[in-house]
Structure formats: structure tokens, C-alpha cells
Amino acid sequence: MDIDPTQPWGLAIDYAGRATLTESGHTIHVNVSDTSLSSVIGPDSISGTYSAVNVTAQFTETGEGGAVLRGTGRITIMPVGADPVVPDRTAVQRAVAAALTDFATNAAAYVALCAQWQQDDGNGDGDGTTPDPETDPVTDPETDRDTTD
């Protein structure tokens, strides 16, 4: 991701802290927000410190059969002492990288899950939709119940 050096957070965000960008062929939604419950940005009345800021990046991709995979990344920037959080131009870049990594991890897990299931043989009786006992010894195919203790 290219960082825009003219922007405090490395990309142009709207008044609500949102932005959309395209990275590695994905449309990624970014949100920069503080963790306070107040609409006023100021130090906490009890602790005297400012809230941390979260930078999140997330996206979804939809595939065949209604399959949806997500990628999510979050970077939290803590205030230093009693000062407010200073914008970090690399925070969005790191959140996007984390979202892309999360997506790749989820895709690999989905492929592994699908590999455990046999293909339907096409005769209409539903055979081939149970886990292969060779790869999933936990399921007893005779009783279709979990055999773990």
C-alpha cells in the first residue's frame, strides 16, 4: 500500500474516520476511531488520559455457493502519557497487511476443510457428503456420531 505523505494517517479519511482503498485486488474498508464512548475528543475525566485509537481494515469476498471469506486487521495506537494519540502514517498500512494475511489464513483453512469432505457422486442419494474416515477418524460413519471422549 502506498502511503500518502500529505495525510496524517497515510490516506485521506472522511469526517467519520472512514476510507476505502484497493489493495491486492480487494476493496478494503478502513476505519480510524478512538475507543472512548464520548463524542468529544478529550482526556478521560477519571484517568486524565486520552483514549487509544483503533485502525481497522476489513473486507469480504463472496464465492460460489454463497461462500464468504473475510479478512480483518486491527492496529491499536496507545496514547503516550497524558497526550492524545499522534497520527501514525504506517498504522493503516499495517492494518491492511494484517487483513490480507487474515484473509489468506481463512482461505487456506477453508480449502483444508473442503478437502476433508468427499465429492457428491451425483446419483441423488447424498452419498459423498460425509467426512472421509481416512482423514477424519473422529466421526464413526456407521453411527454418524462423535466417538471422542
Side-chain angles (χ1 to χ4, degrees), residues 81-121:
D83 294 331
V85 170
V86 176
D88 179 352
R89 285 190 174 91
T90 66
V92 171
Q93 183 181 37
R94 291 182 289 140
V96 168
L100 293 171
T101 299
D102 182 55
F103 181 80
T105 301
N106 291 342
Y110 185 71
V111 167
L113 177 66
C114 290
Q116 290 183 355
W117 295 82
Q118 299 172 2
Q119 290 285 339
D120 188 358
D121 58 12

Side-chain angles (χ1 to χ4, degrees), residues 2 9-10 36 38 48 52 54 68 70 72 76 101-102 106 124 132 135 141:
D2 293 327
W9 289 98
S36 71
S38 174
N54 286 326
V68 177
R70 291 176 172 75
T72 304
T76 301
T101 299
D102 182 55
N106 291 342
D132 182 0
T135 61

